[in-house]
Amino acid sequence: MKGIILAGGNGTRLLPLTIAVSKQLLPVYDKPLIYYPLATLMQAGIRDVLIISSPADLPSFERVLGNGSDLGMRLSYAEQARPVGIADAFLVGSDFVGDEPVALILGDNVFHGARLPELVRAAARDLDGCVLFGYHVADPRQFGIAEKDAGGRLVGLEEKPEHPRGSEAVTGLYLYTPDVVDIARSLRPSARGELEITDVNRAYLAQGRAELVSLGPGHVWIDAGTHEGLLDAAQYVRTVQRHENLRIACLEEIALRMGHISPETCRSLGSRQDASGYGQYVLATAG
């Protein structure tokens, strides 16, 4: 399975923070926001990742992440000339997807949970269409919402409904079979001129090929694309790291644990950042 991180957009919900910098490069406590979705893909066993962003911001992402070889990964980059909906990622990345299944994750979403990698891997193994990940929210009117029947099966998708028929938001992590590119190509733009990801998911649902995996207790999902969300994410990361003596989304540690790099390489990566607590943690992880 390949991975796509959609890190485009204008960051309008975070103005004025995003006047001069992409929101996915803003700090979430001790690391850039983009580390978190990349970590989610890495922990799911995905090593080939395409990062999509604006022409102005791509050089900054390349400067931060490089080609991924230091982490035993392959990172590539593609331009999205203007933000025209999440589903446009499959048109921009059509050659990258090719004939392989793909995971799409939004660059401003933070996921955490001990069982999350296992859930994603299991969903990828059994993939036949699309898999969505649901998370209970207090106010469903603010999100795209999944409707389930009495047996827990996905039967409907609503976008910011006035009268929600469920309380599980569809998060910014999606798994698809390769035909997602053809489905995205067949979409008609919305009234806003965008290719909506909900329309992609409804197409799979109409074929009986859409599944919802609920992220229950022990999982955290934060949309960090707002001021409150960005602060919530930073406070959550700080609290967990201080009390559990671990680093969330430490890319070097994940690469080492996954067997992508050696302890020597991990140690070298840590030494480049040894003036920071993050770098010292990487060094300690390398042993």
Side-chain angles (χ1 to χ4, degrees), residues 145-149 153-158 165-166 168 212:
I145 296 299
E147 179 188 357
K148 299 189 294 185
D149 65 14
R153 292 179 305 170
L154 180 66
V155 295
L157 294 164
E158 305 175 282
R165 293 193 289 268
E168 280 190 66
L212 180 73

Side-chain angles (χ1 to χ4, degrees), residues 71-84:
L71 300 170
M73 300 280 292
R74 181 186 173 198
L75 303 182
S76 51
Y77 300 86
E79 293 184 359
Q80 185 184 45
R82 59 189 183 91
V84 287

Side-chain angles (χ1 to χ4, degrees), residues 8-9 12 27-28 45 50 64 70-71 80 97-98 145 152 166 186-187 192 199 220 228 234 236-237 246 271 273:
T12 51
V28 172
L50 176 69
V64 171
D70 284 349
L71 300 170
Q80 185 184 45
V97 174
I145 296 299
S186 72
L187 296 182
R192 297 184 300 173
D199 290 337
V220 169
E228 287 299 316
Y236 175 78
V237 171
L246 57 78
S271 66
Q273 310 171 74

Side-chain angles (χ1 to χ4, degrees), residues 41 95 106 131 135 139 163 241 256:
L41 296 182
D95 290 341
L106 303 186
V131 174
Y135 188 84
D139 186 359
H163 304 288
Q241 292 187 172
L256 178 64

Side-chain angles (χ1 to χ4, degrees), residues 266-285:
C266 187
R267 193 174 302 112
S268 174
L269 295 174
S271 66
R272 301 177 193 175
Q273 310 171 74
D274 61 2
S276 70
Y278 181 92
Q280 292 163 14
Y281 178 85
V282 174
L283 282 169
T285 297

Side-chain angles (χ1 to χ4, degrees), residues 116-275:
L116 181 63
E118 175 189 337
L119 288 176
V120 178
R121 289 193 204 107
R125 283 194 301 269
D126 300 330
L127 184 63
D128 179 24
C130 84
V131 174
L132 312 176
F133 294 86
Y135 188 84
H136 174 78
V137 292
D139 186 359
R141 295 172 300 174
Q142 302 301 313
F143 301 92
I145 296 299
E147 179 188 357
K148 299 189 294 185
D149 65 14
R153 292 179 305 170
L154 180 66
V155 295
L157 294 164
E158 305 175 282
E159 194 62 34
K160 297 182 179 179
E162 184 62 31
H163 304 288
R165 293 193 289 268
S167 62
E168 280 190 66
V170 177
T171 67
L173 174 62
Y174 320 84
L175 308 184
Y176 297 102
T177 44
D179 57 339
V180 68
V181 173
D182 293 331
I183 289 176
R185 284 191 179 125
S186 72
L187 296 182
R188 296 181 61 181
S190 68
R192 297 184 300 173
E194 297 185 353
L195 299 179
E196 303 288 354
I197 197 67
T198 299
D199 290 337
V200 171
N201 299 333
R202 284 175 177 151
Y204 279 107
L205 185 60
Q207 298 173 13
R209 300 171 61 214
E211 178 186 352
L212 180 73
V213 174
S214 298
L215 300 179
H219 296 90
V220 169
W221 168 62
I222 301 172
D223 172 6
T226 66
H227 297 104
E228 287 299 316
L230 192 65
L231 180 60
D232 286 345
Q235 290 176 331
Y236 175 78
V237 171
R238 178 178 183 269
T239 298
V240 172
Q241 292 187 172
R242 287 187 67 189
H243 293 285
E244 297 191 15
N245 194 31
L246 57 78
R247 296 266 168 170
I248 298 175
C250 177
L251 303 182
E252 296 84 355
E253 180 181 28
I254 295 168
L256 178 64
R257 304 294 186 224
M258 298 290 292
H260 300 339
I261 61 173
S262 66
E264 292 75 23
T265 298
C266 187
R267 193 174 302 112
S268 174
L269 295 174
S271 66
R272 301 177 193 175
Q273 310 171 74
D274 61 2

Side-chain angles (χ1 to χ4, degrees), residues 51-68:
I51 297 168
I52 298 176
S53 191
S54 69
D57 291 326
L58 273 183
S60 297
F61 287 107
E62 293 190 62
R63 191 159 52 248
V64 171
L65 297 172
N67 63 11

